[in-house]
Amino acid sequence: MRHFIWLLIPAFLSVAAIGAEPPQQAAPAQNGENHPAWAFPVPDATQPEGAEVAGPRKLPDSTKSYTQKEIDDLGNPPDWYPSEHGDVPKIVSSGAANKGFACASCHLYSGHGHPESADLTGLSAGYLEQQMADFKSGDRIDPARMNTISQATSDDDAKAAAEWFAALKIGVWVKVTEAAMVPKTFVNGGRMRLPLPAGGTEPIGNRIIEVPQDPAKGTARDPHTGFIAYVPPGSIAKGEAIATTGGGKTISCTVCHGDGLKGFGDIPKLAGLHPLYIARQLFNFKAGTGKAAQAMQMEKVVENLTADDILNLAAYAASQVP
């Protein structure tokens, strides 16, 4: 039974920072049910006018000031509230010397991260170390960032980062809201979805649309600003039915991840994670992209799930209090 605990593998899934250079390798193909565009966002070829922010930026209750170029520096991400955390390992604040990717550039100093990366809070240090090892060996695939980053990261640095993130406080970072209509959006250069500056709404369809609660603060990497995830009406209840009973298609998620999907020990929590991240991992398991033993076990767990099932599970899990 223990082999089925790996419903998700949230680890150091760093991706291109907001407004930073494009991924080193191509993003996954938008391949129907395996890689729907809503779950695997790629930057829009044409960015809307008015999306850029000029001049130095400030945040409430912070003495810091950064330009957008400084905010987008993958090797030196903004630390808006340094008094809120202890000493930071160099790998978190500055990255590996020969690659320049700092963990905090995508996962923030809060550890909660963005929809295009991952939430590391509430995960055990040993679990996070194992994910880095899997990225390094190639058993876990993230061609955009993490396979390269893990190769440049020493085992000691991976351990230091894992222990630091594991000690951070869990908080509610994503508000899940059922809605038939959602803001019209675009995907910026860092693969973050944002409302169009011109406004407007559109039907949600069979998608999850996740945007910052405050777009300006989100693009500034504010560790105090979370996200709103719009999900189709009825999706949370449908996801709950599958998560708690298996829905006749799989085993109950709660068997391994516990009531409320909060996880325990090295069993990862699912509650409160970015629903886009949850969906991507389930789609990847279904597509068989991972070769770690636990990922291969998950292929059987998800093999009968449809794209709608995955959307509903992601909506339900994200809606739970971590």
Side-chain angles (χ1 to χ4, degrees):
M1 183 65 68
R2 183 174 178 83
H3 289 300
F4 289 99
I5 67 175
W6 306 89
L7 180 56
L8 289 181
I9 306 183
F12 299 101
L13 186 58
S14 295
V15 294
I18 303 165
E21 74 271 17
Q24 295 171 319
Q25 300 183 40
Q30 307 302 293
N31 183 21
E33 284 199 352
N34 283 342
H35 290 99
W38 62 263
F40 294 84
V42 295
D44 287 355
T46 302
Q47 297 289 302
E49 293 185 7
E52 295 292 329
V53 177
R57 305 183 64 177
K58 292 181 176 292
L59 291 179
D61 302 319
S62 174
T63 61
K64 302 286 187 174
S65 175
Y66 300 96
T67 64
Q68 192 63 51
K69 182 177 180 180
E70 291 172 325
I71 291 169
D72 293 337
D73 185 350
L74 294 177
N76 187 30
D79 189 357
W80 290 103
Y81 304 100
S83 63
E84 294 184 355
H85 55 72
D87 293 339
V88 183
K90 185 176 180 181
I91 189 68
V92 173
S93 62
S94 304
N98 60 336
K99 291 297 177 183
F101 298 108
C103 304
S105 64
C106 295
H107 303 289
L108 310 183
Y109 286 96
S110 66
H112 285 300
H114 289 155
E116 68 278 7
S117 58
D119 186 335
L120 308 184
T121 62
L123 302 172
S124 73
Y127 181 79
L128 294 175
E129 285 185 72
Q130 183 60 54
Q131 302 320 301
M132 283 294 283
D134 288 343
F135 281 127
K136 182 174 285 191
S137 70
D139 285 344
R140 184 175 178 185
I141 303 299
D142 172 39
R145 290 291 175 197
M146 284 311 304
N147 293 122
T148 298
I149 291 172
S150 61
Q151 291 294 328
T153 303
S154 70
D155 291 345
D156 286 344
D157 279 344
K159 179 179 176 64
E163 291 177 347
W164 192 82
F165 280 113
L168 295 177
K169 182 180 179 181
I170 301 174
V172 176
W173 189 241
V174 180
K175 179 182 178 181
V176 180
T177 301
E178 293 189 347
M181 301 295 292
V182 296
K184 289 184 177 180
T185 59
F186 72 101
V187 180
N188 76 354
R191 294 190 284 182
M192 178 183 287
R193 188 172 294 280
L194 299 166
L196 283 173
T201 61
E202 63 184 3
I204 191 170
N206 292 325
R207 302 178 297 165
I208 295 176
I209 299 298
E210 191 172 356
V211 295
Q213 293 177 10
D214 184 317
K217 292 180 180 179
T219 55
R221 289 196 177 83
D222 178 10
H224 293 172
T225 297
F227 289 77
I228 299 173
Y230 297 101
V231 303
S235 58
I236 295 175
K238 293 175 183 176
E240 181 179 15
I242 298 174
T244 55
T245 71
K249 297 182 176 183
T250 185
I251 64 168
S252 165
C253 306
T254 60
V255 169
C256 301
H257 296 278
D259 292 341
L261 305 180
K262 297 180 187 295
F264 50 91
D266 284 347
I267 301 176
K269 70 179 173 72
L270 312 183
L273 296 180
H274 292 285
L276 295 191
Y277 181 80
I278 296 172
R280 281 199 301 275
Q281 304 321 304
L282 293 177
F283 281 120
N284 284 336
F285 288 138
K286 189 173 177 66
T289 58
K291 299 307 176 186
Q294 300 82 5
M296 295 176 72
Q297 290 280 353
M298 281 303 304
E299 289 184 32
K300 299 297 293 182
V301 175
V302 303
E303 66 179 352
N304 293 323
L305 298 181
T306 66
D308 284 346
D309 292 334
I310 289 174
L311 184 157
N312 295 333
L313 277 170
Y316 170 69
S319 72
Q320 300 304 290
V321 178

